[in-house]
Amino acid sequence: MLEDTSFAIQPDRNPSQTPKHAYYQPGDLLDVQETEDGFRFVCNHAYVDLDLYRSDIVRVNMQPSTHKVTPINSRAVIQSASKDRFRMIKDKEAITLESSKCKVIIAKHPFQLKVINEQGTVMCQDNSKGMVFSQRGEVAAHKVMKPQDRIYGLGEKSGFLEKRGESLTMWNTDVYAPHNPETDPLYESIPYFMVVNKGEAYGVYFNNTYKTTFDFKTDSNNYTFSAEGGCLEYYIFAGPSPKDVIEQYTYLTGTMPIPPKWALGYHQSRYSYESEREVRDLVDTFKAKGIPLDAVYLDIHYMDGYRVFTFDPDRFPDPSRLVHDLKEAGVRVVPIVDPGVKKDVEYEIYKEGVQGDLFCKYLEGDIYFGDVWPGASAFPDFTDHHVRKWWGEKHRTYSDLGIEGIWNDMNEPAVFNESKTMDLNVMHKNDGTPLSHRSLHNIYGLLMGEATYESMKQQLDGKRPFILTRAGFSGVQRYAAVWTGDNRSFWEHLQMSIPMIMNLGLSGVAYAGADIGGFAHDTNGELLTRWMQVGAFTPYFRNHSAIGTVYQEPWQFGEDYEATIKSFIALRYKWMPQLYSLFNLAARQGLPVMRPLMLEFPEDAKTYQLNDEFMIGDNVIIAPILMPEVSERAVYLPEGQWVDYFSGEVYEGGKSHLIYATIDQLPLFIRQGSAIVLGNTGASMESSQNELTLHVYADEKSSYQVYMYDDDGETFQYEQGVYKEIKIDMKCLNNAVHLDVVHSQGDYVPPYDKLEVVVHGLKEEQDVYINGDKTRHHDIGDLSL
Ligand code: MIG
């Protein structure tokens, strides 16, 4: 590879060189016009449109005045301009556009903008370079980066949580080489980031599907985001808190649907379980060992010669019976579906694709062929809605068998060649506006996800589909969970998975996880066990490993590791009611399930670059051991008092503690003065939620609201009101703990009719009142629903 020689450092590759092309700024403001949605600022070289998408979301779009750049529908944005309008206040030097939540101040000579939040703080601000375009079509925005600004989001990136000092590129790429801190880009492109400054935050979503770059590195006081082409169109989220920014971003690009409960259980995968016999034996072993399991994955070996929508008749002679029998045992089957369609004139899918003009083609009319698993393959053009529909329909092969989950891989799209992807000159149909692969590459996976999710939803007739994807773009959360691709069985990759999943969560992708145990390379019992402890609390919980590596099912490394792994899988199921409520919040408000401490404590500087701890919701901290042969670590606990979930010991917050955790232990803390709802442990999702317990961690001064959500876990009936949502106010005083149901809504009748209440840390002098009635057994009571 050229990258491995001195060619990599030839003079013209030096990024510090001055740009080759001339860049133009809008220049001086000449005129302001009212448009359908907002205002147009007409300047010397460009015009800039400013619209409100909500009172706290400002859209900025620059167009050169000499030539019109065709706007590209990224499919990420699902909202349109709001009916709320800016109020315009003109004065000599500046124009102010005001909404109820923010202000945009526009300097006239030259045109420059800055956004001020509700609290009067200057947030997003052009520097003197400002917004620019080149005659070759590149665009960029240069903004001020304040000394205390911290950068988060940017989707799936390696390295640490906070990204100041990094320059990151968005270009969906299949990276099998080890993911190092500087390995960029990876599979997903989420051109969005959040800037947090002493607790106040704003966000920027750059709605551009070309290769984009986010540079927080070159200049220590400024940052730049730029694209190879397309429009300089971006949305500014006014915050003012980090949570507000996530809510604003996911308002614009959508939230995840509530997953089926089975998709939140433990999943076992391997590249590949190669035959029906092997799959059955695997499931039997889980059953025999009493290890809960909700899904098994079929990797590429299930197909007939890697032809999608087929089964190998020798390896999988009766997929219908297999799927049926496994479902009887409470286990779903999730097959892999890659986009590449084998070039084979006797293969129905290929024939249909050619005859129906459904594959990606060059402008001149030839089909593009690339090498992937099946050899020379054609690729469906998902930018065309006929193709999305056709591809979706093909999933009847699976849904007719009773399959409810699909795993989309290789959808960057990955191709086995030097560029790792499709020829950039391919001309996509793009629903009537043909555009090059160079301009649409980053949304290929998103559109495959849309095709798959929407059709599976139809075919499952009221049941929720589960889609897992490797590639995606902003908005991918509407269709699929994301796994972070080909990591390795390295402790470093366990460490890196935590900030990576947290940043995905800050970027709208609440449902994400890494290959537990590591994909490539050989894992070992200790690494797998520590990784399982983390995985039990990551939103997506799947163990997956590569061909040729040691098998890494829970029992592969001896009884001691097996017992510990089993106990943590069981813990996941016990925590499912708590997690499910948090997934509902992700579906409604976009808030992540797994959160960096920064999100809950944005004023605490010690949380800003905390990579080895995470939160579940707003009151639980997990501080896993991430190193071999280590059984103690420093754990930073923010303000408040924190209760060790396992031992009950109370730790003072606002400082670090040395915490011991042998291989069978995970440091897990609940904030005192809050509560969690846990279930019992069953063999699969369905059986783990029959009896629920509200665990209250009492102190003498706190108020908290418990949020609980439940529904049937598999249908869309909740959209018709068949769910249960409960809010319980909790108030701790010197002499009492009060629990009052202040909200109970929905028609769902759960399998339990009460919450058992257990109050931890109750003082002699304190009595517990549930809806006003004193409990009979001091710290134990019932809260009937
Ligand atoms: O080029 O389907 O990331 O999870 O097991 C490898 C085989 C293709 C890459 C995925 C991995 C999957 C593997 N795939």
Side-chain angles (χ1 to χ4, degrees):
M1 282 279 285
L2 292 174
E3 295 294 334
D4 295 334
T5 71
S6 308
F7 180 77
I9 50 168
Q10 63 161 302
D12 349 317
R13 297 184 134 214
N14 184 343
S16 69
Q17 68 182 333
T18 45
K20 281 195 230 100
H21 324 305
Y23 280 86
Y24 299 87
Q25 295 187 331
D28 289 336
L29 180 64
L30 306 175
D31 189 21
V32 186
Q33 299 163 356
E34 198 159 348
T35 60
E36 208 181 310
D37 298 325
F39 290 96
R40 172 162 296 177
F41 292 79
V42 181
C43 307
N44 288 338
H45 304 295
Y47 58 83
V48 179
D49 287 332
L50 289 176
D51 310 321
L52 272 183
Y53 266 53
R54 223 169 64 172
S55 52
D56 48 8
I57 304 175
V58 178
R59 173 179 175 268
V60 182
N61 188 22
M62 179 182 73
Q63 273 284 348
S65 35
T66 47
H67 58 284
K68 169 131 174 96
V69 181
T70 317
I72 295 179
N73 178 2
S74 70
R75 280 85 165 179
V77 174
I78 57 165
Q79 302 294 341
S80 45
S82 101
K83 302 227 163 21
D84 299 345
R85 287 300 150 88
F86 281 121
R87 274 183 312 282
M88 182 162 64
I89 304 154
K90 286 185 172 174
D91 64 49
K92 253 224 202 106
E93 283 311 307
I95 292 177
T96 303
L97 297 182
E98 210 174 64
S99 81
S100 56
K101 294 278 175 60
C102 64
K103 276 185 203 162
V104 186
I105 299 183
I106 291 116
K108 301 179 189 171
H109 306 291
F111 175 92
Q112 260 178 25
L113 60 82
K114 64 181 173 199
V115 175
I116 294 181
N117 72 11
E118 222 175 2
Q119 288 148 349
T121 315
V122 177
M123 305 306 283
C124 187
Q125 182 177 10
D126 285 351
N127 63 23
S128 59
K129 288 193 199 160
M131 294 190 256
V132 296
F133 63 92
S134 80
Q135 290 296 346
R136 288 179 183 259
E138 296 127 315
V139 292
H142 301 280
K143 305 276 182 188
V144 173
M145 183 158 66
K146 290 184 268 181
Q148 308 290 327
D149 281 351
R150 300 292 194 137
I151 313 296
Y152 301 95
L154 298 152
E156 180 187 68
K157 294 295 174 194
S158 57
F160 285 147
L161 177 67
E162 201 266 310
K163 301 299 188 195
R164 190 174 178 132
E166 302 287 341
S167 177
L168 298 162
T169 299
M170 302 299 166
W171 183 254
N172 292 4
T173 309
D174 171 14
V175 186
Y176 177 71
H179 300 175
N180 287 324
E182 90 282 22
T183 306
D184 178 61
L186 295 174
Y187 316 86
E188 296 268 330
S189 290
I190 305 191
Y192 153 86
F193 60 93
M194 181 195 290
V195 181
V196 182
N197 189 310
K198 298 191 203 119
E200 279 185 286
Y202 72 93
V204 173
Y205 164 62
F206 185 17
N207 191 30
N208 189 303
T209 57
Y210 279 82
K211 183 184 280 181
T212 54
T213 301
F214 293 79
D215 183 356
F216 305 97
K217 170 182 182 175
T218 305
D219 179 340
S220 51
N221 299 312
N222 297 283
Y223 66 80
T224 301
F225 53 91
S226 58
E228 280 191 354
C231 289
L232 185 63
E233 187 206 359
Y234 58 99
Y235 295 75
I236 301 170
F237 308 106
S241 76
K243 281 188 183 172
D244 294 331
V245 173
I246 301 179
E247 192 276 323
Q248 290 151 1
Y249 171 71
T250 53
Y251 168 80
L252 191 73
T253 62
T255 56
M256 65 181 291
I258 306 177
K261 280 183 182 171
W262 67 266
L264 302 178
Y266 177 65
H267 294 191
Q268 183 66 51
S269 184
R270 166 106 188 152
Y271 167 27
S272 304
Y273 296 121
E274 292 188 13
S275 67
E276 173 169 343
R277 185 70 269 145
E278 197 179 353
V279 172
R280 285 181 185 275
D281 287 348
L282 178 83
V283 172
D284 289 347
T285 310
F286 273 95
K287 294 289 156 198
K289 290 177 173 295
I291 301 174
L293 176 69
D294 266 286
V296 171
Y297 286 60
L298 300 185
D299 207 325
I300 52 175
H301 287 86
Y302 81 84
M303 292 178 275
D304 184 8
Y306 307 126
R307 288 169 186 84
V308 276
F309 309 114
T310 68
F311 284 84
D312 182 306
D314 298 322
R315 294 166 187 267
F316 289 89
D318 193 350
S320 165
R321 217 184 52 206
L322 176 68
V323 172
H324 176 265
D325 291 351
L326 261 52
K327 202 182 270 182
E328 293 276 276
V331 178
R332 303 306 203 273
V333 173
V334 180
I336 198 167
V337 176
D338 292 351
V341 173
K342 185 177 177 68
K343 182 176 185 210
D344 168 1
V345 296
E346 292 183 356
Y347 167 37
E348 207 44 48
I349 308 289
Y350 179 69
K351 263 200 277 184
E352 280 181 32
V354 174
Q355 288 168 343
D357 189 17
L358 304 167
F359 292 131
C360 294
K361 283 184 168 176
Y362 288 102
L363 182 63
E364 295 79 5
D366 299 337
I367 294 177
Y368 167 79
F369 291 102
D371 275 331
V372 273
W373 295 118
S377 300
F379 294 81
D381 187 356
F382 293 117
T383 67
D384 181 21
H385 69 274
H386 295 111
V387 178
R388 294 198 291 275
K389 194 134 207 305
W390 167 70
W391 186 260
E393 271 305 308
K394 292 294 140 200
H395 286 74
R396 293 217 181 265
T397 312
Y398 305 113
S399 57
D400 284 350
L401 299 174
I403 286 172
E404 299 168 37
I406 299 290
W407 170 20
N408 284 342
D409 184 21
M410 304 289 278
N411 51 348
E412 294 70 30
V415 180
F416 302 151
N417 61 25
E418 192 145 338
S419 78
K420 295 185 176 165
T421 194
M422 189 177 285
D423 189 333
L424 303 187
N425 292 322
V426 160
M427 193 53 67
H428 290 288
K429 288 210 177 65
N430 193 33
D431 289 335
T433 315
L435 282 171
S436 67
H437 189 67
R438 185 168 80 96
S439 60
L440 297 179
H441 171 81
N442 280 341
I443 59 171
Y444 190 83
L446 173 73
L447 292 172
M448 184 183 186
E450 180 191 327
T452 308
Y453 178 80
E454 296 300 349
S455 60
M456 284 295 285
K457 182 171 174 181
Q458 225 170 19
Q459 290 162 30
L460 293 183
D461 202 20
K463 279 196 191 165
R464 300 174 208 170
F466 164 69
I467 314 297
L468 177 69
T469 186
R470 193 169 73 174
F473 189 75
S474 289
V476 65
Q477 66 271 12
R478 305 194 298 260
Y479 310 119
V482 168
W483 102 100
T484 58
D486 296 343
N487 63 4
R488 301 206 165 195
S489 301
F490 298 159
W491 288 90
E492 290 85 345
H493 280 191
L494 165 58
Q495 292 158 13
M496 187 147 66
S497 71
I498 294 172
M500 195 183 278
I501 299 167
M502 291 195 290
N503 269 324
L504 276 162
L506 296 177
S507 309
V509 184
Y511 193 13
D515 282 348
I516 291 160
F519 176 69
H521 198 61
D522 291 331
T523 198
N524 60 58
E526 189 186 5
L527 177 57
L528 179 67
T529 302
R530 289 304 193 190
W531 212 321
M532 282 282 192
Q533 292 169 352
V534 172
F537 290 92
T538 55
Y540 175 59
F541 185 24
R542 182 182 73 153
N543 175 337
H544 180 51
S545 57
I547 195 164
T549 65
V550 298
Y551 279 75
Q552 58 187 41
E553 293 73 21
W555 52 84
Q556 296 291 358
F557 301 94
E559 280 171 20
D560 289 351
Y561 289 126
E562 178 184 327
T564 300
I565 291 170
K566 178 177 170 180
S567 75
F568 280 92
I569 296 176
L571 192 66
R572 165 77 167 207
Y573 285 78
K574 184 165 182 178
W575 275 67
M576 199 56 72
Q578 182 73 13
L579 293 169
Y580 196 61
S581 298
L582 289 167
F583 271 100
N584 182 58
L585 287 181
R588 287 188 187 204
Q589 300 165 13
L591 285 179
V593 174
M594 174 172 170
R595 307 177 183 173
L597 274 70
M598 179 281 296
L599 195 60
E600 296 299 331
F601 300 92
E603 281 162 29
D604 181 347
K606 288 207 169 135
T607 67
Y608 294 168
Q609 189 54 297
L610 201 51
N611 287 282
D612 58 359
E613 297 181 24
F614 60 92
M615 295 189 74
I616 291 300
D618 64 8
N619 61 339
V620 174
I621 290 179
I622 291 167
I625 302 278
L626 304 168
M627 295 279 269
E629 293 186 43
V630 165
S631 53
E632 61 208 22
R633 57 160 290 177
V635 175
Y636 177 69
L637 296 171
E639 66 173 347
Q641 308 269 93
W642 297 84
V643 186
D644 183 316
Y645 170 77
F646 294 102
S647 72
E649 198 170 327
V650 180
Y651 293 89
E652 175 85 37
K655 61 180 182 184
S656 294
H657 297 267
L658 190 65
I659 301 293
Y660 293 85
T662 48
I663 186 69
D664 53 341
Q665 293 176 317
L666 172 70
L668 201 173
F669 304 88
I670 321 287
R671 193 160 58 76
Q672 206 172 47
S674 77
I676 52 177
V677 181
L678 303 184
N680 52 355
T681 304
S684 70
M685 267 315 305
E686 271 111 32
S687 50
S688 65
Q689 298 197 345
N690 305 332
E691 290 161 24
L692 301 194
T693 304
L694 176 68
H695 291 269
V696 174
Y697 294 85
D699 65 8
E700 288 149 329
K701 55 180 187 300
S702 296
S703 303
Y704 185 75
Q705 189 171 74
V706 181
Y707 175 80
M708 191 193 142
Y709 174 87
D710 204 358
D711 61 23
D712 65 26
E714 69 166 345
T715 74
F716 286 93
Q717 286 284 305
Y718 66 87
E719 290 175 350
Q720 270 71 57
V722 188
Y723 61 84
K724 192 98 201 149
E725 184 183 66
I726 294 164
K727 293 178 185 168
I728 304 163
D729 271 355
M730 162 177 168
K731 201 169 182 61
C732 302
L733 304 169
N734 284 331
N735 58 357
V737 173
H738 294 276
L739 299 166
D740 293 292
V741 176
V742 292
H743 167 99
S744 173
Q745 190 173 297
D747 302 330
Y748 174 61
V749 183
Y752 43 87
D753 58 4
K754 62 177 168 58
L755 301 183
E756 189 193 359
V757 176
V758 175
V759 184
H760 302 263
L762 194 69
K763 299 266 155 34
E764 270 307 308
E765 319 78 72
Q766 284 175 308
D767 289 318
V768 179
Y769 296 86
I770 300 174
N771 288 329
D773 296 334
K774 194 160 142 185
T775 50
R776 249 179 296 158
H777 308 284
H778 195 52
D779 56 0
I780 294 178
D782 285 337
L783 190 155
S784 43
L785 294 171

